[in-house]
Amino acid sequence: VLLAGALFGLRGPMRSWARGLAFGAAVWAYVMTTPGFTRGLLNALEQHQPAVALETVAPGGDIVLLTSGSVERHAGRVVVRLDRPAWERTAAAVALWKRTQGRLIVVGGPVMDGLSPAKAMAEVAVNMGVPADRVSHDDQAKTTRDSFDRLGPWLMGQPQPWLVTSATHMRRALLAAGAQGLS
C-alpha cells in the first residue's frame, strides 16, 4: 500500500517529501519482513548467550523455566497452545534437570479457566521423565520481573538456579533475575 501510494504520488498532487516518506517506509517494511534479515537479527541477538555444555553442570541446582505459548478459547472451550519455543525450552530444561536433579520451576502466564502454558509445560516435563514431585509451576505473575519477585522466597538459601528461556529473551530475563539478586 505504501509503495502504491508512493508510485501514485509520482503523478498526483502528493508532495515530494510525502512521496519519499511513503517510498522509504515501503522499503523499510520490505527489508524488515524478509526472512534473511530477521534470521540474521535473531542470530546476532542469540550469539551473546553461549550454549552451556551439559557435562559441565554440577548436580543440585534448581531450574527456572520461563513459559511460552498462549491460552485461547475455541468452540466454547479453553485450549493451551504451546509454541515451538515452549517445546524447545521444556526439552532443554529436562535435559538440564537430568544433570542437576534439582527442582524444576515453570513460571509465567497467562491463565484462563485454570489452564496456562506454565501448567502445560510442567505436565510435559513430567511426561518427559521429571518426577512430578520435582516439578512445580507458578502462573500468577503478570511479567517476567513479577515472576522472579514471586520466586524469591522459593529460592532463598539455595544455590544460584539455572534459567532456561530463549536466547533472544535471555537478556531481559537476566535483568529481572538480577533484581532479586540472582545471577
Side-chain angles (χ1 to χ4, degrees):
V1 169
L2 291 171
L3 187 55
L7 292 175
F8 172 75
L10 290 175
R11 298 173 201 245
M14 186 182 259
R15 297 188 182 266
S16 63
W17 65 269
R19 190 171 41 249
L21 182 65
F23 186 75
V27 170
W28 178 84
Y30 175 77
V31 169
M32 295 302 279
T33 58
T34 58
F37 180 81
T38 54
R39 222 178 357 260
L41 181 62
L42 287 174
N43 286 340
L45 289 170
E46 289 178 348
Q47 288 176 355
H48 294 287
Q49 305 304 324
V52 174
L54 288 178
E55 58 273 2
T56 64
V57 174
D62 291 335
I63 301 164
V64 176
L65 172 59
L66 299 183
T67 62
S68 184
S70 62
V71 183
E72 304 165 5
R73 191 173 300 279
H74 289 285
R77 59 174 242 213
V78 176
V79 178
V80 176
R81 302 252 187 230
L82 296 182
D83 55 12
R84 182 177 176 178
W87 290 101
E88 291 173 348
R89 293 176 192 185
T90 305
V94 169
L96 185 59
W97 179 86
K98 289 178 181 177
R99 296 290 298 186
T100 68
Q101 302 287 308
R103 295 177 298 177
L104 176 57
I105 307 164
V106 187
V107 297
V111 180
M112 186 185 299
D113 292 348
L115 298 175
S116 69
K119 184 176 182 179
M121 289 171 70
E123 290 170 359
V124 168
V126 169
N127 289 332
M128 294 174 97
V130 180
D133 65 338
R134 304 302 294 158
V135 179
S136 59
H137 74 279
D138 180 7
D139 52 18
Q140 299 304 306
K142 301 290 185 222
T143 65
T144 303
R145 182 155 184 174
D146 190 25
S147 291
F148 282 103
D149 288 345
R150 293 174 56 82
L151 278 176
W154 275 2
L155 300 174
M156 286 299 183
Q158 302 292 323
Q160 289 291 322
W162 288 94
L163 175 60
V164 178
T165 188
S166 301
T168 54
H169 184 239
M170 187 62 78
R171 284 186 181 189
R172 188 168 60 90
L174 288 174
L175 288 172
Q180 279 295 323
L182 302 169
S183 59

